[in-house]
Amino acid sequence: QVQLVESGGGLVQAGGSLRLSCAASGRTFSSYSMGWFRQAPEKEREFVAAISWKGAATSFANSVKGRFGISRDNVKNTVYLQMNSLKPEDTAVYYCAAAGSALSYSTKVYDYDYWGQGTQVTVSS
């Protein structure tokens, strides 16, 4: 069992930066690949970024590639999403998720077993 708690969301102007954190409970955090997803009002939840259990492999949605970074600290049981050059279209609730499958990482919602409660990111123009 893994419990996830996101933090770091807020209101930022376009062009600004935020760093989201996701703290995980449980002693097996390092065995899970981790992902960040987001959901804007009246839209489906979409993939943002993912990282393998050792952090060696990462993947990003085309919409955030070059602007966002993902990293993890398996000692602190935390995964981070660094968001730079934010745009109004990045406004959404951001969720972190953990996948316990054998996949290196996944971009699919259905591959993830555990989810956090989400943190709101609002980018003003």
Side-chain angles (χ1 to χ4, degrees), residues 17 19 21 43 56 61 64 69 71 73 75 79 114-115 117 121 124:
S17 297
R19 188 175 82 155
S21 299
K43 291 190 175 181
V64 306
S71 60
D73 185 331
V75 174
V79 62
Y114 304 102
W115 293 82
Q117 83 290 346
V121 171
S124 62

Side-chain angles (χ1 to χ4, degrees), residues 19-73:
R19 188 175 82 155
L20 304 184
S21 299
C22 174
S25 66
R27 292 176 290 179
T28 59
F29 171 76
S30 59
S31 65
Y32 289 84
S33 62
M34 299 296 296
W36 286 95
F37 292 77
R38 65 187 182 187
Q39 189 166 17
E42 300 182 358
K43 291 190 175 181
E44 291 190 354
R45 192 167 297 190
E46 65 174 5
F47 169 73
V48 176
I51 188 167
S52 61
W53 65 281
K54 270 193 173 181
T58 59
S59 178
F60 296 92
N62 287 336
S63 59
V64 306
K65 203 170 291 184
R67 300 188 297 123
F68 289 14
I70 187 170
S71 60
R72 66 188 295 163
D73 185 331

